[in-house]
Amino acid sequence: MNQDNCQRRTLMRDKAKGKIAGVCAGIAEYFNIEVWLVRIIAVTALIFSSSFVAVIYIAMWFILDEKKSNPADQPSHHLGVKTKVWQAGEPPQRAFREINQEFNELEQSLQRIERYITSNAYKIDRELDRL
């Protein structure tokens, strides 16, 4: 069982990703679906139901706690790849491109290190450090 399944999810407003109060963004994160889909459902429900959805939205605005965005708590390279159109995450092509770019940068860095270690400059620096 991975770490994400062990943690209990909590419904919270995500004001950083939200347009008004972050209620739709929080619902989307909770159910792991795209934010735009939740917004379309909310607007459609608002149009076809009198003001009931507006009252629910405002109530959730006041009831739900705001999600604190702390970059130290989140992994630096968490990559969620979507398998369905409505799921939250990155499209597979973009995820592959980003992983490939990161791999190429690491490969270039490793090549620079190898060139330095096999060069005469490394041998001279090593001898100077021993003095």
Side-chain angles (χ1 to χ4, degrees), residues 108-126:
Q108 290 172 358
S109 177
L110 181 61
Q111 287 176 1
R112 282 192 303 272
I113 292 170
E114 286 177 343
R115 275 195 303 271
Y116 173 69
I117 288 180
T118 57
S119 71
N120 288 334
Y122 173 73
K123 292 174 187 172
I124 292 170
D125 289 343
R126 192 170 167 196

Side-chain angles (χ1 to χ4, degrees), residues 57-96:
Y57 186 90
I58 293 169
M60 289 179 79
W61 185 346
F62 289 110
I63 293 170
L64 294 179
D65 292 329
E66 186 176 336
K67 178 182 175 185
K68 304 292 184 217
S69 61
N70 188 356
D73 292 343
Q74 299 174 354
S76 59
H77 294 291
H78 177 69
L79 189 62
V81 178
K82 62 169 85 180
T83 56
K84 296 176 179 61
V85 174
W86 50 266
Q87 256 183 338
E90 282 193 86
Q93 291 89 359
R94 186 184 322 154
F96 176 74

Side-chain angles (χ1 to χ4, degrees), residues 11-19 21-31 33-35 38-39 57:
L11 181 58
M12 300 181 90
R13 292 184 300 120
D14 192 353
K15 200 166 183 178
K17 295 179 185 173
K19 296 290 183 185
V23 173
C24 290
I27 292 171
E29 184 177 326
Y30 184 79
F31 290 108
I33 57 177
E34 292 285 344
V35 179
V38 175
R39 288 182 183 137
Y57 186 90

Side-chain angles (χ1 to χ4, degrees), residues 98-108:
E98 289 177 8
I99 291 170
N100 194 28
Q101 180 182 2
E102 188 171 332
F103 176 75
N104 287 336
E105 290 170 2
L106 290 171
E107 178 70 23
Q108 290 172 358

Side-chain angles (χ1 to χ4, degrees), residues 1-25:
M1 196 183 305
N2 67 19
Q3 188 177 358
D4 291 337
N5 291 339
C6 294
Q7 294 177 352
R8 193 174 132 211
R9 293 188 307 178
T10 306
L11 181 58
M12 300 181 90
R13 292 184 300 120
D14 192 353
K15 200 166 183 178
K17 295 179 185 173
K19 296 290 183 185
I20 299 173
V23 173
C24 290

